[in-house]
Amino acid sequence: MTRLFAGTPFDIPPTCDRCGELEEACKCPPPAHEYLPAEKQTAKVFTERRKNKRVMTIVKDLDPEETDLSKLLSVLKSAIGAGGSLQENQIEIQGDHLARVQEKLKSIGYRVR
């Protein structure tokens, strides 16, 4: 008895497009993710007062699929000298740093509203 798909493209095991090895044996690194350039993105920046009168600067409306939010967070934290975190696809910086965050985002190339 012969195989059902013998001699067809379904019978040939899949190979890597870059090195030609079988996919199981391929050691090629995964392709790098291409992000949307900063010039084509608009960020909304505002301050928010939390409990105990603490103020947070929030950066939102950036698509997490098109932006490396963790890298942007580290750039903003080091430029401003404040702590912050990434919460639900928005960047939160501790303190009232609205003008400084807007200035830094504009220097990187983001449109700010």
Side-chain angles (χ1 to χ4, degrees):
M1 181 169 184
T2 62
R3 293 187 313 268
L4 181 62
F5 295 109
T8 66
F10 298 108
D11 188 43
I12 302 169
T15 57
C16 176
D17 294 334
R18 291 182 273 174
C19 65
E21 295 287 327
L22 293 175
E23 283 186 355
E24 296 85 28
C26 177
K27 299 204 185 320
C28 295
H33 187 282
E34 293 293 325
Y35 293 111
L36 194 64
E39 295 80 24
K40 294 184 178 183
Q41 298 185 53
T42 302
K44 182 178 180 182
V45 182
F46 59 95
T47 58
E48 183 177 279
R49 189 167 299 275
R50 301 277 172 92
K51 64 181 182 180
N52 297 329
K53 298 183 180 179
R54 289 183 288 162
V55 178
M56 299 289 284
T57 304
I58 311 292
V59 179
K60 64 186 284 187
D61 290 348
L62 292 174
D63 187 13
E65 299 294 323
E66 301 296 335
T67 308
D68 190 3
L69 291 177
S70 60
K71 183 178 176 185
L72 182 60
L73 172 65
S74 64
V75 167
L76 290 175
K77 283 172 37 176
S78 64
I80 293 167
S85 64
L86 189 59
Q87 300 289 331
E88 299 176 4
N89 299 329
Q90 68 182 15
I91 296 174
E92 297 181 352
I93 305 289
Q94 297 172 354
D96 187 4
H97 303 287
L98 182 66
R100 294 172 71 187
V101 169
Q102 288 175 337
E103 181 75 30
K104 184 62 180 174
L105 287 173
K106 285 179 185 177
S107 71
I108 294 172
Y110 289 95
R111 292 177 291 191
V112 178
R113 60 181 171 110

